[in-house]
Amino acid sequence: MLIHAEVLPTYRRIRQIGLRLNHKLVGTLSKEAMDTAGERLGILRNGVLVFGSEDETAVLMDYAIYNVRIAGQNAVERYLEQSPPPPDSDEMGLLKDMLEACYSLFELVDVEPGVGVTVRDALRNETDFLADIGLSRSGPMGGCLATRVIPLREQGILMSSGAGLPVDRATLARIIKALEQWFETGTDFSLLTPDQESNLAAVVIRTCLEAGMSSRIVYGTHAETSSRTKPAIDPRLIRRANPNDPCPCGSGRKFKSCCGRRPRR
C-alpha cells in the first residue's frame, strides 16, 4: 500500500518550482558568498574554487544559498525581501518552507517504491517521509544520507534541496567525532542558531568530501534532474581550470573573471 502516493503529483509540481527557484537563487550569489562557502567546505584553495568532482558544485551552491549569511541574511531571505513573488503563489509558499530547511544525517528506514522513503533524523531523533522517487529506487535501507530537507508543511512531507551525500560507517564515525568538537553533549539540534546550523552543515559536508563521498553523490529521478540544480561543468575544469574556460560555478563568465579572480588585498 502506497501511503503517500496521493502527494506525488503535487510533489512533482513543487519540485519543478524548486528547481526554477534554485536557479534564480544561484544567480543572486555574490563572489563573497561563494568564496565563504568554499572556504568553510574546504573547496577554496589559494583564492580558487577547486572541485574534487563535478558534482561538488551542487553541494557548494546549496551551502552558499542556505548557510552563508551576508549582512545577516541568507540568499532565500534576501530573495523574499528583494524579489517577493505574489503572496498566494506556489513560489511564495515554497520560499517560506525553504526558510525552515535544515541539514542533517538521515537514516533510511523504509521505502515506498516510486514515491519516497521514510527517514529518521539521526541528530534530532525525528522520523518523517522524504518524497524522492530516485532515492526510493536506489537508496539502501539502513544506509545514511547527509542532505538538506525542506519541510513542505501543507503536504506534511519532506523534500530535499539538492544533492545528498551518502555516508558510510567510517565516515559517520568521523562526522560524530567532529561534531563532538563543535557541539556540547546534549545539544538540541532542533534549536540551533543560524551560525550553529551553518557550522553543523559545514562539518558534515567537509568530512564527507574529505572521505570522497561526492563520488557517490545521490540525486533524484532522471526526470527531476534533467535540469539539475548543479551547473554543467566541462570535466577538464575539475581540479585545474584554464583561466579562459567557463567558470565551474556556472556563472557563464570566464574562470579568470569569476571564481578564479584573486581577492583584492
Side-chain angles (χ1 to χ4, degrees):
M1 179 179 180
L2 298 180
I3 301 174
H4 296 90
E6 70 277 3
V7 303
L8 196 55
T10 302
Y11 162 72
R12 287 183 182 276
R13 178 171 54 81
I14 294 176
R15 189 67 174 175
Q16 290 303 313
I17 295 171
L19 289 171
R20 293 195 295 271
L21 268 177
N22 195 82
H23 181 73
K24 293 178 181 178
L25 290 168
V26 166
T28 70
L29 294 174
S30 65
K31 185 177 186 300
E32 178 186 0
M34 293 287 293
D35 283 355
T36 299
E39 183 175 13
R40 292 179 185 172
L41 301 184
I43 293 174
L44 185 72
R45 301 169 192 172
N46 297 319
V48 177
L49 291 168
V50 180
F51 300 99
S53 75
E54 181 180 352
D55 290 312
E56 287 182 9
T57 55
V59 177
L60 177 73
M61 299 297 184
D62 182 78
Y63 185 87
I65 288 171
Y66 289 92
N67 293 124
V68 175
R69 309 184 77 82
I70 305 296
Q73 292 182 312
N74 67 12
V76 179
E77 293 164 340
R78 284 195 304 276
Y79 189 88
L80 274 168
E81 180 180 282
Q82 300 173 7
S83 308
D88 297 327
S89 65
D90 289 335
E91 189 177 57
M92 175 61 86
L94 180 54
L95 281 165
K96 289 182 177 179
D97 286 341
M98 289 166 71
L99 293 175
E100 306 299 322
C102 68
Y103 201 92
S104 195
L105 297 164
F106 296 92
E107 179 187 359
L108 281 58
V109 298
D110 199 7
V111 61
E112 286 188 40
V115 184
V117 293
T118 298
V119 294
R120 185 181 73 85
D121 187 330
L123 299 180
R124 298 170 178 84
N125 198 27
E126 300 173 351
T127 301
D128 217 321
F129 186 79
L130 173 63
D132 191 306
I133 300 170
L135 198 58
S136 75
R137 294 169 177 164
S138 61
M141 291 305 101
C144 188
L145 183 71
T147 192
R148 191 183 313 278
V149 296
I150 302 167
L152 302 180
R153 290 170 292 185
E154 186 174 337
Q155 289 72 35
I157 59 174
L158 303 177
M159 180 177 77
S160 66
S161 65
L165 292 161
V167 181
D168 59 23
R169 289 177 181 268
T171 304
L172 180 59
R174 291 174 58 183
I175 290 173
I176 292 173
K177 185 175 181 179
L179 289 176
E180 288 174 346
Q181 298 176 4
W182 282 89
F183 297 94
E184 296 180 359
T185 302
T187 295
D188 188 341
F189 286 96
S190 64
L191 299 174
L192 297 182
T193 66
D195 284 345
Q196 289 175 319
E197 175 74 21
S198 176
N199 287 335
L200 167 64
V203 168
V204 174
I205 294 170
R206 190 168 58 246
T207 305
C208 286
L209 296 184
E210 290 172 353
M213 293 294 103
S214 64
S215 64
R216 291 182 277 167
I217 208 160
V218 178
Y219 286 102
T221 67
H222 175 74
E224 290 170 346
T225 57
S226 58
S227 54
R228 287 178 175 176
T229 55
K230 73 180 185 71
I233 300 177
D234 187 328
R236 294 172 300 172
L237 300 182
I238 297 183
R239 295 187 182 278
R240 185 176 296 176
N242 186 299
N244 291 311
D245 280 336
C247 186
C249 76
S251 67
R253 291 175 288 176
K254 291 183 179 180
F255 179 74
K256 66 181 180 182
S257 301
C258 191
C259 296
R261 183 176 55 193
R262 298 279 178 155
R264 293 182 179 178
R265 298 186 181 275

